[in-house]
Amino acid sequence: MKISVVGTGYVGLVSGTCFAETGINVTCVDVDDKKIEKLNNGIIPIYEPGLEDIYKKNVEKGRLVFTTNLAESLENADALFIAVGTPPDEDGSADLKYVLGVAREIGKNIDHYMVIATKSTVPVGTSKKVKEAIQDELDKRGVKVAFDVASNPEFLKEGNAVQDFLKPDRIVIGTESKRAQKVMKRLYKPFLLNGHPIVFMDITSSEMTKYAANSMLATKISFINEIANLCEIVGADVESVRKGIGSDPRIGNKFIYAGTGYGGSCFPKDVQALIRTADEHKYSLEILKAVERVNNRQKSVLFDKVLNYFDGDLKGKKFAMWGLSFKPKTDDMREAPALVIIEKLLAAGAKVCGYDPVAMEEGKRILGDKIEFAKDEYDATIDADALLLVTEWPEFRIPNFRVLEKLLKNKVIFDGRNIYDPEELAELSFDYFAIGRKPVKH
């Protein structure tokens, strides 16, 4: 089989590479000349564990190629996956100009039956617009070419996207015809060997499934953060509460870790887009609006603790920050809590020295010379007034606290991910502040 994947971001590049891994011939398309040039020269523009190895293997075998020519990629293709960006518009709705732009290009060049599947996260009703855009271009050409549209949302976690694609817990596909269903089932057959299901449904339900899934996960995060904040007020420990509720299989133990709020390319954008979709249909999603408010507030919680500790005066003080990416195993800093905390510290007259195992280049691109960038985690703490742990990278989990007490001006740690043991830090005479836990003070 042969497919085309339009868009070489996280979703497009991971999807195309993993499809190639099963023996399918894949052409990845992007309008960015520089990105395609890099990919053709062995340079991957994103950081994703495990991706580079299978990318190189499939390029060498000729199953994975990259081009800026969409028309060329359509030749003999059985399916095309749209995986371009859908950034939030000013009103929070998903911007579909890139998706519909691809649809129009398909309509201008398609000459045989294929399935056009949308992998980009798009609002309910988008597949209908894609179909209309393709058909409109066919009508302009005065030709009749059969095609089907499908919705095939992705459920990839950054930092684990390759394994999520190769060993999916479920595959969701929305189709309108048995013919399209047959093509999609054949494409995904190699990924079903682990026994997990492929779920076929109507297109509208498929589009809704993606937003509903991410919104539910975002809701769990904001819920536990609300509970964490209340725990601090009443003197409870959110880590104990988390274990207590997480043992209930109806709740589960995932996505109930208190912290500085969610970020990344999906949750913030998808919650906003679903809220907007409901508003357009004159229905208010009150729970999700609260989820968004709580998350925005939560990104400031660690800064508020710092400000309170130093009696409201941060001018001239230096803070070490461990972690810049919105989560471990990625260099993605979109909507990262670190960015909010940094801006607030700088606005208060403080200085920041940051370190991240992977996101240093991305940090420099976004922040420029606003902050210092350290060569390693301990370098960041030299003469710092306090340490802020913002992203729970594995290498930050068991630091040498004896080294830290020599490097830091003050023995104080603000833990935005609750990864340290308060009792251990108490024994070492550190002041320690976490999320939803009793502070340790000396």
Side-chain angles (χ1 to χ4, degrees), residues 188-389:
Y188 275 108
K189 186 177 180 180
F191 304 101
L192 302 176
L193 301 179
N194 60 3
H196 291 297
I198 182 168
V199 184
F200 284 103
M201 59 184 71
D202 63 275
I203 289 177
T204 301
S205 297
S206 175
E207 291 172 333
M208 179 62 79
T209 296
K210 169 64 176 181
Y211 279 112
N214 278 355
S215 294
M216 172 56 92
L217 297 176
T219 298
K220 291 184 73 174
I221 293 171
S222 281
F223 173 79
I224 199 63
N225 282 332
E226 281 275 73
I227 296 299
N229 295 337
L230 183 58
C231 280
E232 286 190 34
I233 295 170
V234 302
D237 187 326
V238 74
E239 288 299 296
S240 297
V241 175
R242 175 182 64 79
K243 293 172 185 176
I245 67 173
S247 59
D248 185 332
R250 296 170 301 173
I251 297 172
N253 58 12
K254 295 181 179 179
F255 288 87
I256 56 170
Y257 288 83
T260 55
Y262 60 77
S265 62
C266 294
F267 287 5
K269 176 174 68 69
D270 293 354
V271 169
Q272 286 181 16
L274 190 53
I275 289 171
R276 180 61 180 171
T277 296
D279 286 344
E280 289 173 352
H281 288 81
K282 295 181 171 54
Y283 184 78
S284 180
L285 290 173
E286 295 300 319
I287 291 176
L288 289 189
K289 288 178 180 179
V291 165
E292 188 175 40
R293 287 196 303 272
V294 169
N295 191 62
N296 290 335
R297 182 181 66 192
Q298 196 68 18
K299 291 182 179 182
S300 298
V301 165
L302 205 64
F303 169 79
D304 293 339
K305 293 178 184 293
V306 173
L307 191 65
N308 182 63
Y309 181 84
F310 289 99
D311 297 321
D313 184 13
L314 304 182
K315 191 171 183 179
K317 289 182 169 55
K318 175 186 174 182
F319 295 96
M321 180 174 287
W322 285 3
L324 299 172
S325 58
F326 86 93
K327 62 180 283 190
K329 297 184 181 180
T330 180
D331 62 350
D332 195 343
M333 289 179 61
R334 284 174 287 185
E335 302 285 345
L339 294 175
V340 173
I341 298 168
I342 287 170
E343 288 299 329
K344 286 183 172 293
L345 288 171
L346 296 178
K351 299 176 182 178
V352 178
C353 185
Y355 174 74
D356 189 287
V358 170
M360 295 293 276
E361 291 305 314
E362 183 68 1
K364 292 173 183 176
R365 184 187 70 80
I366 294 172
L367 295 165
D369 60 359
K370 288 183 178 180
I371 71 170
E372 298 176 42
F373 293 92
K375 63 182 180 182
D376 59 44
E377 61 265 47
Y378 294 106
D379 181 48
T381 65
I382 296 173
D383 292 328
D385 289 275
L387 167 62
L388 281 63
L389 184 286

Side-chain angles (χ1 to χ4, degrees), residues 35-291:
K35 184 184 286 189
I36 292 299
E37 183 179 355
K38 286 181 178 179
L39 286 165
N40 280 324
N41 289 314
I43 302 172
I44 297 180
I46 61 173
Y47 175 82
E48 186 61 41
L51 181 61
E52 187 172 1
D53 289 341
I54 60 173
Y55 152 81
K56 288 182 177 178
K57 179 173 70 173
N58 285 285
V59 167
E60 289 173 3
K61 290 184 178 293
R63 292 196 295 256
L64 183 62
V65 297
F66 302 91
T67 182
T68 57
N69 192 326
L70 188 148
E72 187 179 89
S73 78
L74 295 177
E75 294 177 11
N76 301 316
D78 297 285
L80 179 145
F81 290 85
I82 300 176
V84 295
T86 53
D89 217 333
E90 290 182 5
D91 61 0
S93 61
D95 188 343
L96 296 177
K97 64 182 178 184
Y98 302 114
V99 170
L100 297 180
V102 172
R104 284 189 284 272
E105 285 301 307
I106 294 168
K108 291 175 183 177
N109 293 284
I110 191 173
D111 61 5
H112 66 281
Y113 175 82
M114 66 170 61
V115 177
I116 314 302
T118 304
K119 255 200 179 305
S120 302
T121 301
V122 295
V124 173
T126 298
S127 292
K128 182 180 179 181
K129 294 178 181 179
V130 167
K131 186 175 183 177
E132 290 172 348
I134 295 172
Q135 189 60 54
D136 185 52
E137 293 298 332
L138 287 171
D139 292 343
K140 289 178 182 178
R141 290 166 58 193
V143 297
K144 291 185 178 181
V145 179
F147 69 93
D148 273 310
V149 296
S151 168
N152 179 212
E154 51 83 19
F155 299 97
L156 308 179
K157 300 184 294 292
E158 290 186 39
N160 200 57
V162 172
Q163 287 304 306
D164 284 345
F165 199 101
L166 294 176
K167 300 177 182 178
D169 52 13
R170 84 287 202 195
I171 297 166
V172 173
I173 299 174
T175 59
E176 293 179 320
S177 74
K178 293 292 184 182
R179 188 178 184 184
Q181 191 175 117
K182 185 177 179 181
V183 171
M184 297 298 285
K185 192 170 185 177
R186 187 181 175 201
L187 278 171
Y188 275 108
K189 186 177 180 180
F191 304 101
L192 302 176
L193 301 179
N194 60 3
H196 291 297
I198 182 168
V199 184
F200 284 103
M201 59 184 71
D202 63 275
I203 289 177
T204 301
S205 297
S206 175
E207 291 172 333
M208 179 62 79
T209 296
K210 169 64 176 181
Y211 279 112
N214 278 355
S215 294
M216 172 56 92
L217 297 176
T219 298
K220 291 184 73 174
I221 293 171
S222 281
F223 173 79
I224 199 63
N225 282 332
E226 281 275 73
I227 296 299
N229 295 337
L230 183 58
C231 280
E232 286 190 34
I233 295 170
V234 302
D237 187 326
V238 74
E239 288 299 296
S240 297
V241 175
R242 175 182 64 79
K243 293 172 185 176
I245 67 173
S247 59
D248 185 332
R250 296 170 301 173
I251 297 172
N253 58 12
K254 295 181 179 179
F255 288 87
I256 56 170
Y257 288 83
T260 55
Y262 60 77
S265 62
C266 294
F267 287 5
K269 176 174 68 69
D270 293 354
V271 169
Q272 286 181 16
L274 190 53
I275 289 171
R276 180 61 180 171
T277 296
D279 286 344
E280 289 173 352
H281 288 81
K282 295 181 171 54
Y283 184 78
S284 180
L285 290 173
E286 295 300 319
I287 291 176
L288 289 189
K289 288 178 180 179
V291 165

